[in-house]
Each structure stands twice: as structure tokens, then as C-alpha cells.
Amino acid sequence: MRDKARINVKDSRYLLGTLDELGILEQDQVFVQISTNDGNFCVSSLVVVTRNPCLDPGDVRVLIAVGYREELKHMRDCIVFSQKGNRSVVDMMAGGDLDGDMFFVTWKPELVPQQCVEPAIYAVPKAPKKSQLQLEPDLTCQDPKLSQKILKYFWDSNRTATLGELNTVHITVCDRLGAMHPDARALARAFNTTMDQPKTGISPTEEELEIFREYSGKELAHFQVENVRGIVKYHSYGILGQLYDAVQARIDERDVKDVKDFKLDPDLILKDE
């Protein structure tokens, strides 16, 4: 909990996403049927749905769980999304899809936000027109074009920040300026673009990379580098900083108690002869 902020949430599940192929659900509706030791139950309320990575506030969606549906009763322990709407709600959550993505779902009323933030627009590669497709012959190891392609790939990959670097800077910006700050949202877009770069071929924009460079190398929050020497840090009073301090205080109390209760076996003491 201290290092990863992993908190067990009641009335929630981590479910595989799938599509309502029958067209039963309307836009912004989902079907969630959970199996328990007491049988199955269908969620019938507002639900909060998101997926990992969830860096942008718009990645959190509030949807309507419709309760029992006879046509979907065979769908258990998964979340069924509607196929209706101008834009897939799955795509709104960090550019997700239904090829095996897992989703966090909770129907706990205290966690349902009053309103949703407009989802970010994530870069999608455009399919080339048929007339633009050019088939290349197989390249051999001796072909200079192969070397050029390899060099270009490494150049494009190394000119952008790594996912770890982007995530670290994003957390710092959110802690200081808030997740709704334009720079924080730009870094979230850059993270998702970089994550999908191997399959889309799209890199973060120069504007997003410039924002990353502006904050990169500056002091980090204490909960990010508590045990790392030589790095400038500041004490965070944000929610992550408070959570870290509260857990650390409990750990310190436990350590002190363990020392007080420690009793050394006298047979293990080396005595002078």
C-alpha cells in the first residue's frame, strides 16, 4: 500500500471487457453479472469503469449497469459494453479495445464522481489508401535499406522518453499542479502514445515532449524517492504523500514494538572465558 497505493475496494471487480454482440445495450450502458458463493447477482446502478493505465481524468467513465437481462444471462464475471454510440466508451479509457483488456469496475456509491471529465483524444494511425500501398521486396541482411530502416526505428524510439520517465514526471506534475492541469493531461497523452508506439508507429508530439523536458530532472515528491540518495525531493502533502506518511508511521510503530518485545536467547550470547 505504501509504495503502490494498492487498496482493496469493496463492491468492485477487475473484469475482462467484451462486446454486446446482440445490440441489447444502449449507449453508456453496461451489463455486469458477478458470481459469488451465494450465487450470481447483476449490478443495477451507476458504476465507475476504468482501465490501466489510468493517467488522465477522462479515462474514468461513469456508466449505467442495467441489471438482469435475459439475453445476456450467460455472460458472467465480465463487463459487457454497448456497441452503440459515436465513439466507443472503451476507446475513451486510455485508447483501450476489447482484445483482452481488463477493466476496474466499482458500484460503491462513495466512489462515483458527480461528473465525468471530457475524455482525451488518442492518436490513431490512419489506414493508407489502396493506391498508396507499395509492396517492398524482402530485404536481405546485405541490403542497405535494411540498415536504414533499423537506424530509423532506433532513432524514433530513442528520441522519445521511456514509459518510466513519463510516468515519474506525470506523477510529480499531478502532485503539484493537479491531474486536470493541461501539462498533466499532455503528459498522460504522451504516455499512452509511447506505450502504443510499437504497434501504431506514432510518437508523442514535439509539444508534449517539450513539456516533459521542462519538468524532467526537477525535484521529486518524497514518496517517489524516499530511499534514493542524491536526488532532490520535496515533502508532498497531496493524497499520495498523506497515504505514504500514514502507512510509514504504522510501519515505524510496528518496528519500535518489535524492538521492545525482542528477547535474546541467553544461550546465543558469547561469554568471555
Side-chain angles (χ1 to χ4, degrees):
M1 182 183 292
R2 181 190 66 178
D3 298 326
K4 298 293 184 179
R6 291 176 177 170
I7 303 174
N8 185 33
V9 179
K10 293 183 179 180
D11 298 331
S12 68
R13 289 293 189 279
Y14 191 56
L15 302 173
L16 176 71
T18 187
L19 182 67
D20 170 28
E21 298 183 357
L22 301 177
I24 303 299
L25 303 175
E26 298 298 328
Q27 183 176 353
D28 293 333
Q29 291 185 339
V30 293
F31 176 77
V32 180
Q33 182 176 200
I34 304 300
S35 60
T36 68
N37 295 332
D38 299 324
N40 302 332
F41 78 93
C42 296
V43 180
S44 179
S45 64
L46 292 178
V47 293
V48 177
V49 184
T50 189
R51 62 181 288 273
N52 184 41
C54 178
L55 274 65
D56 187 86
D59 293 337
V60 179
R61 311 311 302 165
V62 176
L63 304 174
I64 304 170
V66 297
Y68 180 78
R69 289 292 186 272
E70 180 69 22
E71 303 88 341
L72 300 174
K73 65 179 182 180
H74 60 287
M75 307 292 286
R76 293 192 301 272
D77 296 319
C78 62
I79 176 170
V80 184
F81 291 96
S82 171
Q83 59 177 266
K84 301 176 183 178
N86 295 327
R87 180 185 176 188
S88 167
V89 69
V90 177
D91 179 68
M92 297 180 188
M93 294 179 277
D97 50 40
L98 296 177
D99 64 352
D101 288 6
M102 302 292 292
F103 296 83
F104 169 76
V105 184
T106 179
W107 50 97
K108 194 176 182 64
E110 296 88 339
L111 296 181
V112 178
Q114 296 297 318
Q115 61 183 12
C116 275
V117 177
E118 190 71 19
I121 303 297
Y122 297 100
V124 177
K126 294 183 179 179
K129 296 180 180 179
K130 195 171 183 180
S131 59
Q132 295 176 329
L133 292 175
Q134 295 180 353
L135 298 178
E136 292 188 11
D138 293 337
L139 299 178
T140 64
C141 294
Q142 292 75 25
D143 195 320
K145 288 186 178 180
L146 180 60
S147 299
Q148 294 174 5
K149 288 181 175 291
I150 294 175
L151 288 173
K152 184 178 184 303
Y153 173 80
F154 278 101
W155 170 257
D156 292 341
S157 300
N158 293 328
R159 66 179 287 271
T160 61
T162 66
L163 290 176
E165 293 170 335
L166 283 167
N167 184 60
T168 298
V169 173
H170 177 262
I171 291 176
T172 306
V173 173
C174 288
D175 185 65
R176 288 196 152 188
L177 305 177
M180 287 297 297
H181 193 277
D183 290 350
R185 302 198 70 178
L187 290 168
R189 290 194 303 271
F191 181 94
N192 284 284
T193 302
T194 301
M195 184 176 62
D196 292 335
Q197 183 179 0
K199 62 181 181 181
T200 64
I202 299 176
S203 303
T205 65
E206 191 58 38
E207 179 183 357
E208 292 169 348
L209 291 176
E210 190 59 35
I211 293 174
F212 166 76
R213 298 187 193 102
E214 179 183 348
Y215 293 100
S216 181
K218 294 187 177 180
E219 58 184 11
L220 304 177
H222 75 288
F223 62 82
Q224 293 176 282
V225 290
E226 184 65 30
N227 298 318
V228 181
R229 296 181 179 179
I231 295 181
V232 180
K233 57 189 176 184
Y234 67 93
H235 194 93
S236 168
Y237 294 96
I239 183 60
L240 291 180
Q242 295 179 44
L243 178 62
Y244 183 95
D245 292 341
V247 175
Q248 186 61 49
R250 294 290 297 272
I251 293 175
D252 294 340
E253 291 177 3
R254 183 195 63 190
D255 292 344
V256 171
K257 183 178 182 300
D258 290 344
V259 172
K260 289 182 178 179
D261 296 341
F262 179 76
K263 294 181 180 180
L264 184 63
D265 188 342
D267 294 334
L268 297 178
I269 300 177
L270 182 62
K271 301 179 181 179
D272 296 332
E273 295 182 359

